[in-house]
Amino acid sequence: MVDDLRSDDGLGGFEGHHHRVSRRSEQERPLADREVPLGQQESDARVLSPLVHAWLDGELPEAVVRKGDTARDVEFWKNINVEVETRRRILTPVFVETKIMNALPQTAPVVISPWWRREFVVRPTHALALAAALVVAASAVTVTLMVTMR
Amino acid sequence: MGYSVVVKTTEQAPRTDQLIADPENSDQMVIQRVLSGNRDAFKILISRYSDPLYRHALCMTGSPDVAEDILQLSFIKAYQHLAEVRGRFDAWVFRIVANGCKDWLKNIRRSHLSYDEDDQPSAYATPDEELDRTELRSDLDRALATLPASLREAFVMKHVEGRSYEEMADLLGTTVGALKMRVHRAREALQALLEEKYA
């Protein structure tokens, strides 16, 4: 549980908050601190002491938190942590790898991009042929228009 | 429904970090080999990243079958779009799996999640202790299932996967502050649900 020793975005201002913060003080926090609207079951949740969060985030040693009201929280989370550690050891069933390999397409993956993003290569012979075709087409259109105008 | 936990021994394969450290087996090199037609090389990427991805899918969905399906579909999608990988492959494929989980959660609402670990040797001293643990496991699953997907995801990434907030922010494209808030709220919600029984 104490696995994030790199976190530097700490829970500032927890000094002296050795007791649980009330729901009222939670509600008084600026709106910007709340990321999404509170859900149904969260209305029943109580606010954990910032000390407990800091301990769970690996920012404080257990001894600091295991005092006063937070001792009960520490016991609870140590209990949960045993179960969480079990989940951390779960590995992919061995047959899944083979199953995935069998399900892959047989062909190599290709870049699927729209035609306007694809590379457009113009060779000199193609450019000359295109220019000649344009001249012929323009001449044909001009002749057709002249005939029509008469 | 039961989890089937497979415990691999260290002799089965070289460690992931050893493989990645080898320039010949870096993700980018493996991707190049796959793109040049070596389909089997993709197996290296599956072996390298399937465990954390499977754990994420399993904890998010609560179902081993669904987790396997999401993992399979995600790797197929990754294979098909392998030429579009920019940056880290592991972060890219994680986002595919995470989105797969969230899509599944949007469509399915599950009220009860539980698993057992028939294949795992017991780590507990007495049958009573093991019984307590099984009960806690089920209760924790049920409590996790009541959390909104974003809170569950943050809790799983932090506590089960052991990621730092910075890593989570990088993977999810959000801020450390927002993720701390999600994890804190998930903890408080879980404790409110479970503390009467387990405190």
Side-chain angles (χ1 to χ4, degrees), chain B residues 8-9 17 19-20 29 52 78 83 110 112 126 137 145 148 164 172 174 189 191-192:
Chain B
K8 289 179 187 169
T9 61
D17 51 355
L19 280 170
I20 296 172
M29 290 301 291
R110 294 165 73 87
H112 176 78
T126 65
R137 190 176 302 145
S164 68
L172 298 175
T174 184
Q191 184 155 349

Side-chain angles (χ1 to χ4, degrees), chain A residues 82-101:
Chain A
V82 175
E83 170 54 26
V84 167
E85 289 290 340
T86 307
R87 289 167 192 237
R88 208 176 277 185
R89 295 198 304 268
I90 293 175
L91 299 174
T92 316
V94 282
F95 63 88
V96 171
E97 198 174 285
T98 311
K99 196 175 152 193
I100 293 170
M101 283 306 291

